Amino acid sequence: MFPYIARRLLLMIPTLIGIMLVTFVIVQFAPGGPVERILSQLEGTDSAATARIGSGGPDALRGEGNSAYRGAQGLDPAFIKQLEQQFGFDRPAPERFLKMLGDYARFDFGRSYFRDTPVLQLIAEKLPVSISLGLWMTLLSYAISIPLGIRKAVRDGSRFDVWTSGVIVVGYAVPGFLFAILLIVLFAGGSFWQIFPLRGLTSDNWSDLSLAGKVVDYAWHLVLPVTAMALGAFAASTLLTKNSFLDEIRKQYVLTARMKGLSERRVLYGHVFRNAMLIVVAGFPGAFISAFFTGALLIETVFSLNGLGLLSFESIVNRDYPVVFGSLYIFSLVGLIVGLVSDLTYAWIDPRIDFESREV
């Protein structure tokens, strides 16, 4: 097992470098940039996301003269050079990329261009929101999908199985942000009832509440965003649970247990459950990370939740490259580690799994 873990850890290095290289190259050709944003702010337009479209190509990001920047005409060339030095664009792109890799290897992600705050501090400030959404959404989806999947497997082909499959497909097809808007209209004072709060994860008087009051207030704020995110999340795990149970129910040891006179409940939860849930339990780390880092942007925007999804989106729009690359590096690293943890969890739960005999 240790050689397999070592190979996987070593493989993470070129994978991370490849992810960062591809993203860095794409950024060189992306319109806009921090220099353009400063210039647009001086002009009062602040159109950083589109300022460089059709005006200079990748050279604009390298800062090769005033003509490379839209809106630079009439400004002191020394001021433009100063901006380039401030953002590090006075050096060639390969040199900047190698320096970035060296800094990131030491987990030095620099400071945000426009917030003047360390990137790690910004990410740490947004983590509680994203962890809350990801954790509770994953737990809720598993709490729904596992009992539902077992029930569908037991009643495979019945009317219950058919209509619940239809509900699952519809729920999976409906975008989460549309369902979030519907929840706001119905339950957050949109047009009907004012039951749940609309913004944030805590109330304005949260610090004045008792411990029990804080727990209730926090849970009350989570109801709508977590429900909106969990709508389609439980579909895959429900079908996975159902198929796993169906595979186990048809095996010989289940027939033997039934022939011994064991009750159906004893057969399902005493024999089938442990074997059928191996793949579901092993996939929990990956499911949590998937919910943690993806799919939350629109939900955070709709419910005014200041999490990592919104931070990453704003950083991309504003061309805040230290935050963009720092977030990407951390997300990619965590994703690779969690992939390894998922495989090790699977091997720990099911000793029959032997990764030593497989290629990485």
Side-chain angles (χ1 to χ4, degrees), residues 84-101:
E84 293 172 355
Q85 292 176 359
Q86 176 182 345
F87 296 117
F89 295 150
D90 57 326
R91 290 174 290 182
E95 181 181 341
R96 285 187 280 119
F97 178 72
L98 293 176
K99 181 180 184 303
M100 181 181 69
L101 290 182

Side-chain angles (χ1 to χ4, degrees), residues 185-236:
V185 171
L186 292 177
F187 304 112
S191 299
F192 294 89
W193 302 282
Q194 177 67 58
I195 301 177
F196 298 99
L198 178 59
R199 298 176 180 274
L201 289 182
T202 57
S203 301
D204 294 336
N205 64 335
W206 191 80
S207 59
D208 300 328
L209 299 175
S210 63
L211 178 60
K214 290 180 178 179
V215 172
V216 172
D217 181 74
Y218 168 74
W220 206 241
H221 280 76
L222 277 175
V223 170
L224 293 188
V226 170
T227 302
M229 292 180 65
L231 175 65
F234 70 90

Side-chain angles (χ1 to χ4, degrees), residues 264-281:
E264 190 68 16
R265 184 178 182 85
R266 179 73 179 275
V267 171
L268 284 177
Y269 295 100
H271 294 77
V272 176
F273 185 84
R274 180 178 60 182
N275 295 325
M277 291 305 296
L278 290 176
I279 189 171
V280 178
V281 174

Side-chain angles (χ1 to χ4, degrees), residues 29-329:
F29 294 91
V35 175
E36 284 84 349
R37 186 187 178 196
I38 295 295
L39 298 178
S40 62
Q41 287 177 338
L42 293 176
E43 292 182 327
T45 57
D46 198 13
S47 55
T50 58
R52 197 166 51 86
I53 295 179
S55 61
D59 290 341
L61 198 58
R62 292 196 295 265
E64 298 180 358
N66 288 10
S67 60
Y69 302 104
R70 177 175 296 180
Q73 290 77 12
L75 294 178
D76 186 357
F79 174 70
I80 303 297
K81 291 295 183 183
Q82 183 180 358
L83 288 178
E84 293 172 355
Q85 292 176 359
Q86 176 182 345
F87 296 117
F89 295 150
D90 57 326
R91 290 174 290 182
E95 181 181 341
R96 285 187 280 119
F97 178 72
L98 293 176
K99 181 180 184 303
M100 181 181 69
L101 290 182
D103 292 339
Y104 285 10
R106 303 190 305 270
F107 284 89
D108 178 10
F109 301 102
R111 304 176 69 88
S112 168
Y113 284 159
F114 304 110
R115 295 179 176 91
D116 195 27
T117 304
V119 173
L120 280 179
Q121 180 179 332
L122 282 174
I123 294 176
E125 290 174 355
K126 314 301 179 183
L127 271 178
V129 173
S130 296
I131 289 178
S132 296
L133 294 177
L135 177 62
W136 293 113
M137 190 274 282
T138 305
L139 293 177
L140 178 62
S141 63
Y142 267 64
I144 296 174
S145 62
I146 292 176
L148 181 59
I150 295 174
R151 186 69 171 174
K152 286 172 65 62
V154 172
R155 303 183 61 179
D156 183 43
S158 66
R159 293 180 61 184
F160 173 82
D161 182 40
V162 173
W163 76 260
T164 52
S165 296
V167 172
I168 289 174
V169 170
V170 172
Y172 186 75
V174 175
F177 74 93
L178 287 181
F179 188 59
I181 294 174
L182 176 62
L183 292 177
I184 290 175
V185 171
L186 292 177
F187 304 112
S191 299
F192 294 89
W193 302 282
Q194 177 67 58
I195 301 177
F196 298 99
L198 178 59
R199 298 176 180 274
L201 289 182
T202 57
S203 301
D204 294 336
N205 64 335
W206 191 80
S207 59
D208 300 328
L209 299 175
S210 63
L211 178 60
K214 290 180 178 179
V215 172
V216 172
D217 181 74
Y218 168 74
W220 206 241
H221 280 76
L222 277 175
V223 170
L224 293 188
V226 170
T227 302
M229 292 180 65
L231 175 65
F234 70 90
S237 52
T238 298
L239 297 178
L240 179 62
T241 303
K242 174 190 173 181
N243 293 334
S244 297
F245 265 78
L246 285 178
D247 290 341
E248 293 296 325
I249 287 173
R250 297 177 179 134
K251 290 184 178 179
Q252 185 64 41
Y253 75 91
V254 177
L255 298 177
T256 303
R258 286 172 174 167
M259 292 176 62
K260 289 181 178 180
L262 297 180
S263 65
E264 190 68 16
R265 184 178 182 85
R266 179 73 179 275
V267 171
L268 284 177
Y269 295 100
H271 294 77
V272 176
F273 185 84
R274 180 178 60 182
N275 295 325
M277 291 305 296
L278 290 176
I279 189 171
V280 178
V281 174
F284 182 85
F288 170 64
I289 292 299
S290 177
F292 186 28
F293 290 129
T294 63
L297 169 59
L298 294 175
I299 301 299
E300 290 179 7
T301 303
V302 171
F303 291 101
S304 300
L305 302 175
N306 198 7
L308 290 176
L310 192 58
L311 172 67
S312 300
F313 174 74
E314 292 177 346
S315 300
I316 292 172
V317 171
N318 294 324
R319 302 301 189 260
D320 197 346
Y321 294 140
V323 180
V324 173
F325 286 115
S327 301
L328 176 65
Y329 181 86

